[in-house]
Amino acid sequence: MQTHSYDVVIVGAGGAGMRAALESSSRARTAVLTKLYPTRSHTGAAQGGMCAALANVEEDNWEWHTFDTVKGGDYLVDQDAAEVMAKEAIDAVLDLEKMGLPFNRTPDGKIDQRRFGGHTRNHGDAPVRRSCYAADRTGHMILQTLYQQCVKAGVEFFNEFYALDLLLTADPQDPDGDPQVAGVVAYELATGEIHVVRAKSVVFATGGAGKVYKTTSNAHTLTGDGMAIAYRRGLPLEDMEFFQFHPTGLAGLGILLSEAARGEGAILRNSDGERFMERYAPTLKDLAPRDVVARAMANEVREGRGAGPNKDYVLLDLTHLEPAHIDAKLPDITEFARTYLGVEPYTEPVPVYPTAHYAMGGMPTTVEGEVLRNNTDIVPGLYAAGEVACVSVHGANRLGTNSLLDINVFGKRAGITAAEYAAGATLAELPDDPAGRVVAQLEAMRTRPVGEKVADLRRALQETMDVNAQVFRTEASLKQALVDIQQLQERYGHVAVQDKGRRYNLDLLEAAELGFLLDLAEVVVTGALARNESRGGHYREDYPQRDDTNFMRHTMAYRVATTGAEGAEAVDAAGIGPHEVRLDYKPVTLTRYQPMERKF
Ligand SMILES: Cc1cc2nc3c(=O)[nH]c(=O)nc-3n(C[C@H](O)[C@H](O)[C@H](O)COP(=O)(O)OP(=O)(O)OC[C@H]3O[C@@H](n4cnc5c(N)ncnc54)[C@H](O)[C@@H]3O)c2cc1C
């Protein structure tokens, strides 16, 4: 075991982590731990754009942007946070421009902007051009730009280091405790060695958890590690039942075709060739928020108007767009349609169906990135930003292009706060045997001669989530999902990996990731079962209305061990110990906008 000490440790080198690192490294001794090489982070897969009310091509302002974010999020958004994001969006884009990001330009040389779902002029009158973009490779450009800046600034990266545990000085749920951050425990992929990294501040920027589902736009590595690590250490997770299903995944595959396609004029059609969104959202049509469009698509399929031999998808029609326009604005995603489905988007409509895309929930934070341990108290030294966090700027449904914005605005804020806190703090004492939990769990899975296979359990988890906790949910379907997940957690206690080695043992790390996914799926489903209403991405067929009287509140989920028996800690470390999910709630912050019925 090796031990290191830093002022600030950032876990994750996606957009949020690297934006934080740029701020922190100029103020404090900073290390970035990342399980992927930085430029392989999922931010690099983002396509369509990053929004800001620059008003470069038509009238716009940050207040309209704030309103759209709140309404798009079905009023579960904390409005003070949305206001911060919309205001700081403008500088966030200009910061990237100054760093050298090659945005598409208007003929007179300004940053060009295009339409995206739910972004409107004057509180819903018509779609507005608010999304800044670099063709359909915006995330790629952001990630490369931030990485170059980090290299220039001399940021220290620990590449292919997997954080597996968070070290705190006390149990965050102990009423007499005074928890403070002590560091993280990480596993080095190349050697199998365990590292304890002490730090005054720790920033989690580990991204999303799309692999809870089978059909997803997310990379294989998006297993919600940061969320699950914090949750296992007694910290709450907020609003996890709100998962976004992006309307246009390639049918049967889930690979994303950016909403930029519809922003550039593509149209959704059913098997009759009908532009069905006119019925569901007469004003914004195909550019209504994602939850509305995904449900409309699923409904068309259910009612027998799906296309294809099995009538199980709808069609995204770009055939009326000029090929030169498609090539200039949407080159990558049209290539995906050719490569993966053999469809030529110039002349044929593309089969699409909703795909699990984005976790609106995550680790609850303040607008400064400080992580909350209950509704009001923070954990000194612990920060989170990006998809792992829940500020909450996305509420029950995130608007397209608001995430690339979120990671830049709140990544920057978290980096500054973490460094400033570290300047006045001392390293906390390490707990006894700091790596004990991680070593016990990994060694059990590595040395068990035979047992359950990771791939089998993961497949079963993803299938039950796709069938029972997707666009449409009911009490019965969610109960089924919960039973399935709990059985899988039990079986997870008997996992044996096939690779028994120490070097590059991805088999072992996938086993650890599966444990995280199982914990998070349980939180998603438990929160969804308790939320007897429909709001944003969470749609309960048995409670189709939004219920502001009872559910205008954030869910806060805690993992509670249900035994004090000796050895419980070791069992718990594997994510299988007897435990339950305890739900609590937190008020939504309202400032300017009173909830009203959403019409688009
Ligand atoms: C296909 C696709 C297209 C998208 N398009 C858009 C778009 O056009 N506009 C928009 O606003 N949003 C878009 N999104 C959403 C947006 O890209 C993501 O929400 C955002 O980039 C997440 O950034 P992040 O920094 O939080 O996480 P990520 O970029 O996912 O980075 C996570 C980092 O954490 C590290 N990590 C994870 N676990 C560990 C661990 N245990 N130990 C160490 N390191 C760890 C990883 O190595 C990685 O560096 C898209 C998403 C997808 C999947």
Side-chain angles (χ1 to χ4, degrees):
M1 188 182 89
Q2 291 190 36
T3 307
H4 316 258
S5 300
Y6 286 88
D7 291 332
V8 179
V9 164
I10 297 170
V11 184
M18 292 206 283
R19 192 67 192 81
L22 279 180
E23 298 302 326
S24 165
S25 63
S26 63
R27 296 170 170 87
R29 237 187 112 232
T30 302
V32 179
L33 254 60
T34 171
K35 72 178 183 182
L36 301 172
Y37 189 77
T39 50
R40 298 185 69 88
S41 303
H42 192 73
T43 296
Q47 303 168 352
M50 165 172 168
C51 58
L54 300 180
N56 276 1
V57 281
E58 55 190 354
E59 188 187 353
D60 198 6
N61 63 63
W62 64 260
E63 191 274 324
W64 292 352
H65 184 184
T66 311
F67 173 80
D68 290 339
T69 300
V70 170
K71 183 181 175 191
D74 222 347
Y75 294 91
L76 200 70
V77 170
D78 285 328
Q79 297 182 11
D80 53 340
E83 192 167 313
V84 164
M85 184 172 78
K87 271 189 195 164
E88 293 185 9
I90 294 160
D91 278 342
V93 168
L94 298 180
D95 281 355
L96 290 169
E97 183 187 36
K98 284 183 205 129
M99 290 177 202
L101 194 145
F103 284 111
N104 274 50
R105 299 277 162 180
T106 61
D108 57 350
K110 292 182 186 157
I111 294 175
D112 196 14
Q113 299 190 273
R114 66 178 161 206
R115 293 178 178 151
F116 247 84
H119 291 279
T120 70
R121 53 178 291 112
N122 196 23
H123 300 195
D125 284 354
V128 77
R129 290 172 61 171
R130 186 177 289 148
S131 163
C132 311
Y133 64 101
D136 53 1
R137 307 177 182 123
T138 316
H140 173 85
M141 295 303 181
I142 290 178
L143 198 65
Q144 297 291 333
T145 303
L146 291 174
Y147 185 56
Q148 285 166 2
Q149 295 297 316
C150 282
V151 170
K152 185 173 156 197
V155 172
E156 219 174 312
F157 286 97
F158 288 71
N159 293 332
E160 301 188 327
F161 275 62
Y162 286 62
L164 294 177
D165 202 0
L166 168 68
L167 300 173
L168 302 174
T169 54
D171 174 357
Q173 297 315 319
D174 177 355
D176 302 323
D178 183 16
Q180 193 189 327
V181 157
V184 292
V185 182
Y187 178 97
E188 183 181 0
L189 180 65
T191 60
E193 208 174 342
I194 299 288
H195 296 252
V196 171
V197 189
R198 301 180 66 188
K200 298 170 188 170
S201 296
V202 171
V203 183
F204 271 31
T206 50
K211 282 290 158 181
V212 162
Y213 289 93
K214 179 173 149 201
T215 310
T216 174
S217 67
N218 282 197
H220 194 64
T221 51
L222 289 175
T223 47
D225 306 5
M227 298 174 192
I229 289 169
Y231 173 65
R232 287 180 183 179
R233 279 293 176 193
L235 292 165
L237 293 177
E238 182 174 346
D239 290 341
M240 291 295 287
E241 63 270 32
F242 294 100
F243 217 94
Q244 175 162 85
F245 302 95
H246 191 298
T248 53
L250 288 181
L253 297 171
I255 295 171
L256 193 74
L257 290 194
S258 171
E259 194 173 302
R262 280 172 287 138
E264 296 291 349
I267 288 168
L268 290 163
R269 299 189 189 280
N270 60 22
S271 56
D272 303 330
E274 184 204 5
R275 183 180 192 182
F276 59 86
M277 280 313 299
E278 286 178 334
R279 272 189 279 122
Y280 295 89
T283 308
L284 297 186
K285 303 186 180 74
D286 300 271
L287 286 175
R290 290 176 178 169
D291 58 326
V292 176
V293 181
R295 261 191 310 278
M297 291 168 63
N299 199 51
E300 289 299 295
V301 166
R302 278 187 163 194
E303 293 184 353
R305 292 185 294 279
N310 302 320
K311 294 181 151 302
D312 57 356
Y313 53 75
V314 301
L315 298 165
L316 182 69
D317 184 3
L318 296 88
T319 57
H320 53 289
L321 303 180
E322 284 298 321
H325 185 71
I326 292 179
D327 291 348
K329 300 292 176 76
L330 307 166
D332 279 8
I333 60 168
T334 39
E335 200 55 35
F336 294 165
R338 293 183 192 109
T339 307
Y340 299 110
L341 291 183
V343 168
E344 175 46 66
Y346 295 158
T347 54
E348 296 167 276
V350 185
V352 289
Y353 199 73
T355 180
H357 184 59
Y358 185 86
M360 266 75 74
M363 296 167 70
T365 70
T366 67
V367 290
E368 307 301 339
E370 300 152 310
V371 172
L372 291 162
R373 65 184 167 100
N374 52 40
N375 286 5
T376 46
D377 301 313
I378 61 160
V379 181
L382 184 59
Y383 307 87
E387 196 169 334
V388 68
C390 180
V391 186
S392 144
V393 283
H394 308 304
N397 171 61
R398 173 175 74 78
L399 291 188
T401 69
N402 260 351
S403 176
L404 290 179
L405 175 59
D406 168 4
I407 63 180
N408 277 284
V409 167
F410 293 104
K412 178 176 179 178
R413 282 178 159 247
I416 294 172
T417 333
E420 284 175 351
Y421 173 80
T426 46
L427 281 175
E429 285 293 313
L430 283 179
D432 293 341
D433 191 15
R437 251 192 187 197
V438 169
V439 172
Q441 180 199 2
L442 294 181
E443 283 306 289
M445 296 191 295
R446 199 176 63 83
T447 55
R448 194 172 283 131
V450 282
E452 295 280 0
K453 288 201 178 75
V454 172
D456 292 345
L457 303 190
R458 189 173 51 217
R459 194 176 309 116
L461 168 70
Q462 292 171 336
E463 269 166 15
T464 187
M465 290 300 283
D466 263 25
V467 172
N468 294 311
Q470 227 230 20
V471 175
F472 293 117
R473 303 165 171 186
T474 64
E475 181 175 335
S477 77
L478 292 166
K479 280 191 168 154
Q480 182 61 52
L482 196 57
V483 168
D484 291 346
I485 293 163
Q486 286 167 348
Q487 279 172 359
L488 290 167
Q489 285 176 331
E490 170 62 33
R491 287 172 62 189
Y492 182 69
H494 309 284
V495 156
V497 300
Q498 280 153 320
D499 183 348
K500 305 291 184 198
R502 291 195 184 274
R503 290 171 184 277
Y504 288 101
N505 193 341
L506 282 167
D507 207 14
L508 183 60
L509 289 159
E510 284 191 8
E513 290 170 341
L514 172 65
F516 296 147
L517 288 175
L518 285 166
D519 272 14
L520 296 178
E522 188 181 25
V523 178
V524 170
V525 170
T526 306
L529 250 178
R531 192 173 275 277
N532 293 335
E533 66 156 353
S534 292
R535 183 188 296 269
H538 168 70
Y539 189 85
R540 285 280 301 265
E541 289 185 81
D542 38 0
Y543 297 93
Q545 301 303 321
R546 193 174 84 198
D547 174 359
D548 287 340
T549 312
N550 295 305
F551 290 103
M552 182 70 187
R553 54 188 191 175
H554 299 291
T555 304
M556 299 282 274
Y558 297 82
R559 187 175 201 270
V560 190
T562 49
T563 172
E566 208 172 313
E569 175 76 353
V571 181
D572 207 37
I576 52 151
H579 66 272
E580 46 185 48
V581 184
R582 181 174 71 81
L583 296 183
D584 195 2
Y585 294 91
K586 187 171 78 148
V588 176
T589 308
L590 302 183
T591 56
R592 301 165 186 248
Y593 311 110
Q594 283 308 312
M596 51 181 191
E597 194 192 339
R598 286 199 318 166
K599 288 198 178 122
F600 295 99

